[in-house]
Amino acid sequence: MRIDEILASGGPVFSFEFFPPKTDAGERNLYAALSELKTLEPSFVSVTYGAGGSTREKTIEIVKRIREEYGLEAMAHFTCVGATVPELRSTLDEMRGAGIDNVLALRGDPPAGQEVWTATEGGLEFSRELVELISGDYPFAIGAACFPETHIHASSPEDDLAHLAEKVSAGVDFLITQLFLDNAMYFDFVERARKAGIAVPIIPGVMPITKVGQIERMAKMCGSTIPQELHRELHARGDDPEAVLDFGVAYATLQCAELLAAGAPGIHFYTLNRSPATRAILSALKLAKPWEKAVYPGSISSPSATRGEPSAAS
């Protein structure tokens, strides 16, 4: 089923992101996490595409298996790195033939060891061009990434938002944000996006904190801010991994509850191929149903919405 149709059916959507493992042990871990998270009935799951398109075949293989063996809707990430237009079309043809309905269109990261992104000869340079290619000739629902704290290579927040508006106009059906740890960043971004005429659903991406060093590395890589108070609380528990995990689950649960109460269309969990933290958070959310007890009088899910000021987890 197309994700834009799932989003239009009402109620929040919950989704999980996985990456193709590099080892047999990693693969066992991935499918164990899938088995455990399946019981939470996610709206969909997504599978990333390695740097330089390095996991193309593995990504498609995992998406096929998730659909066929686990009965879950799955979305394949898809980049234009390291491929000519005919090669991109060949991969899209394979996805269509496999019955895949959803694609997350990304420019992609450079191959390992290459710091500067360079378009492949005979390929595409911008994610907007990839969206145009897909929307023009293929039946997929198209998702794209967005960055509440601005893409690390953008010249300004305004420029970043202008490029995002171009992508959406080219055929994007929904957006998923990069991770953020301060809800105010998401609320502000959605407000700016709506003013720029971007009307598609914007699903917040949340990464549960399980390890201090890990979240610090991920935040730095993505250009995401760790609020000072959160940084202090994490380091106060730095020598107690279990305490960090407990606090991280509590923080993410509050973060997600506030987002849903404010009208966010759902939550996309960056699982890092592990299930316990995500299971705890989503189980609590499904019990509490914060989307039914809205704190704010408006909704941030539509361009005409209004919102109150964020409080918890911000």
Side-chain angles (χ1 to χ4, degrees), residues 212 229-240 243-244:
V212 176
E229 297 83 357
L230 174 58
H231 187 270
R232 183 183 64 245
E233 292 294 336
L234 289 172
H235 280 272
R237 298 164 174 79
D239 58 352
D240 187 343
V244 170

Side-chain angles (χ1 to χ4, degrees), residues 183-184 187-188 191 258 262 295-297 300 306-312 314:
N183 282 357
F187 294 130
D188 177 70
E191 186 172 30
E258 182 181 49
V295 174
Y296 308 127
I300 58 174
T306 59
R307 64 169 178 85
E309 291 303 315
S311 53
S314 62

Side-chain angles (χ1 to χ4, degrees), residues 21-33 273-274:
K22 296 180 180 179
T23 65
D24 290 342
E27 191 152 339
R28 288 192 296 272
N29 182 70
L30 165 64
Y31 289 111
N273 287 14
R274 298 195 176 277

Side-chain angles (χ1 to χ4, degrees), residues 236-278:
R237 298 164 174 79
D239 58 352
D240 187 343
E242 198 169 314
V244 170
L245 176 59
D246 289 344
F247 176 76
V249 168
Y251 185 85
T253 303
L254 288 173
Q255 185 182 11
C256 293
E258 182 181 49
L259 291 165
L260 293 165
I267 304 289
H268 185 68
F269 290 98
Y270 294 109
T271 69
L272 299 180
N273 287 14
R274 298 195 176 277
S275 66
T278 303

Side-chain angles (χ1 to χ4, degrees), residues 26 32 35 97 100 114 118 200 220 225 232 234 236 254 262 285 288-289 308:
S35 296
I100 295 171
Q114 181 178 317
T118 305
V200 298
K220 182 178 180 180
T225 302
R232 183 183 64 245
L234 289 172
L254 288 173
L285 292 172
K289 296 183 172 64

